Amino acid sequence: MWLVAPVMGAMSTFASISRLHIVAIAALGTLTFGWLFTGHYPWVLALVCALDWFIVNLLNRVVDLAEDRVNRITGVAFVDRHRRAIIIAGFALLIGSLIISAIVSPLLTVLRLIYHALGLAYNWPILPGKRRIKALYFWKNTASAMGFVLTVFLYPLSLVGWGSDPTLLAPGITPATLWLSGAFFILFELSYEVIYDLRDEPGDRAAGVR
């Protein structure tokens, strides 16, 4: 019984640092829409999607320390203590997984590179004027939605020629299905982005995030 509290604490810290709920939403979205579009469950792609969102969220925690402290997010102290190790581990995991996916699927690797380039620009101040997308309100939520489009829709569609050939899609699925599903998911994703913005407003204000 004496191990329960430390284990639960470690699990809570891990879930918060990795934003496990977002990782789960993305991975399950890939699995769901992948099955809808192709008629098969893309288990491996769902794992790749989970890995990609895990890496982006992990590296995001390092940059978001100031606002996370104000918002009293679980795991801030851990990230602060192990900042350097988290950065090294995150980029090592990213580079290693990209090498493997480049060997297995070059097309998927291109999509992953686009996704992680977006993630870097979102989290890190690499834009002109040392800005990051997260500090630009309209583009902040739009970029997040595009991240989901890349992983939830384009990852599975890369298996069937981007959906350009309807004969490769599951029975009953048309290009209109793809567009309507994409519009639905973008609106759905933006809705909880706004909810998170309301929740995180004190920390965002402290960090200069509009």
Side-chain angles (χ1 to χ4, degrees):
M1 292 296 293
W2 60 272
L3 284 174
V4 173
V7 170
M8 292 298 292
M11 291 175 61
S12 177
T13 298
F14 173 78
S16 177
I17 291 173
S18 63
R19 290 189 170 101
L20 196 58
H21 59 294
I22 298 177
V23 173
I25 289 170
L28 291 173
T30 300
L31 195 64
T32 300
F33 287 104
W35 167 79
L36 176 67
F37 297 154
T38 69
H40 305 284
Y41 288 108
W43 296 104
V44 174
L45 281 182
L47 291 175
V48 172
C49 173
L51 175 65
D52 284 343
W53 279 95
F54 172 79
I55 293 172
V56 167
N57 288 333
L58 185 68
L59 294 175
N60 172 253
R61 282 303 194 199
V62 174
V63 189
D64 280 355
L65 278 172
E67 53 258 53
D68 285 351
R69 281 196 191 94
V70 175
N71 290 329
R72 299 182 180 180
I73 302 296
T74 301
V76 171
F78 178 89
V79 175
D80 200 12
R81 286 197 307 270
H82 303 284
R83 184 177 185 275
R84 180 178 175 84
I86 290 173
I87 292 175
I88 293 173
F91 279 104
L93 190 58
L94 172 59
I95 294 170
S97 66
L98 284 172
I99 292 173
I100 295 173
S101 69
I103 296 171
V104 176
S105 175
L107 180 56
L108 176 62
T109 304
V110 171
L111 292 173
R112 294 188 66 210
L113 285 170
I114 295 172
Y115 168 77
H116 283 287
L118 180 65
L120 285 173
Y122 182 92
N123 291 325
W124 298 75
I126 61 176
L127 297 177
K130 294 185 177 181
R131 296 185 298 174
R132 55 178 180 153
I133 294 176
K134 186 172 181 179
L136 309 173
Y137 187 74
F138 172 80
W139 298 109
K140 166 187 180 294
N141 291 343
T142 303
S144 181
M146 290 304 101
F148 276 101
V149 169
L150 280 165
T151 54
V152 171
F153 290 91
L154 296 188
Y155 278 18
L157 287 177
S158 69
L159 300 177
V160 290
W162 307 96
S164 58
D165 184 354
T167 63
L168 297 176
L169 299 173
I173 301 300
T174 66
T177 311
L178 306 182
W179 287 105
L180 288 172
S181 298
F184 156 76
F185 195 86
I186 288 173
L187 293 173
F188 169 71
E189 196 277 339
L190 288 175
S191 70
Y192 64 78
E193 285 289 340
V194 172
I195 293 173
Y196 287 161
D197 288 339
L198 294 172
R199 180 199 64 182
D200 295 339
E201 193 269 340
D204 286 347
R205 188 195 302 118
V209 175
R210 296 178 60 188

